[in-house]
Amino acid sequence: MDPKSVERWITTSRTPHRGHRWKAASFLGVDEVYVWPSVEKQAEKASTSELITYYPHRGAVPAPLWSSLIEKATDQVDILVYAGLFLFDSHPDLPDQLADKAKAGAQIRILLGDPDSESVRQRGEEEGIGDDLAARARITRRYLAPAMSTPGVEVRLHDTILYNSVYRFDEDVLVNPHVLGAPAGQNPVMHFRYLPGARTFRHYMRSFDYAWERGRTA
């Protein structure tokens, strides 16, 4: 950013674009409402719910929705999964798309399950697929390899116990809860859209940030 633009954020009442707000707040380690209290007031004029829709299982999420969210994202793409292989199998150009977005200035953060971790082994057993989950995580990592040399594309491995898979594209996030004994694809998906001052979107992204800080470079 031009330092003069940032100076105007501080010395005037000018509120930056949401993408710049998110990145600045993330860099400072605070909530954007703490830095720009005025955005909370905007929520009073908007819907009180960030929930766009609910899908009974992941297969019910329309394929065009995934494509649209991927294509329209310009500022931030965050993915937190154990493997997420379905997304890369159904979008073979996704690594190239992510690399192109990073070159245009977007931040891409992808968290994959560490295939050698206890959490991935345990989740594989719970889903009834055993070591296949670790194998899927390795395949996804291989798919991403060409994009990982692009500045702005970061891939990390995690060993956390996931309660949800998270797919964030700018101000939209798809949350896929993990239900004990059922594969992720059989579990519900909730589509949330960010509203200034509201809680749900930020709540899930704080969870992502927590896992991100615990991850290690792939």
Side-chain angles (χ1 to χ4, degrees), residues 1 5-6 8-22 32-33 35-42 194 196:
M1 290 296 299
S5 297
V6 179
R8 284 193 288 271
W9 298 352
I10 300 171
T11 60
T12 71
S13 58
R14 180 171 298 183
T15 301
H17 182 272
R18 61 176 177 270
H20 295 146
R21 294 199 308 267
W22 292 341
E32 65 167 321
V33 175
V35 186
W36 292 283
S38 61
V39 300
E40 188 167 17
K41 298 178 181 178
Q42 298 173 17
Y194 170 77

Side-chain angles (χ1 to χ4, degrees), residues 111 156-160 210-217:
L111 271 167
R156 294 184 183 181
L157 301 179
H158 70 87
D159 60 0
T160 57
Y210 177 76
W212 182 256
E213 292 304 319
R214 291 164 55 95
R216 65 177 179 85
T217 302

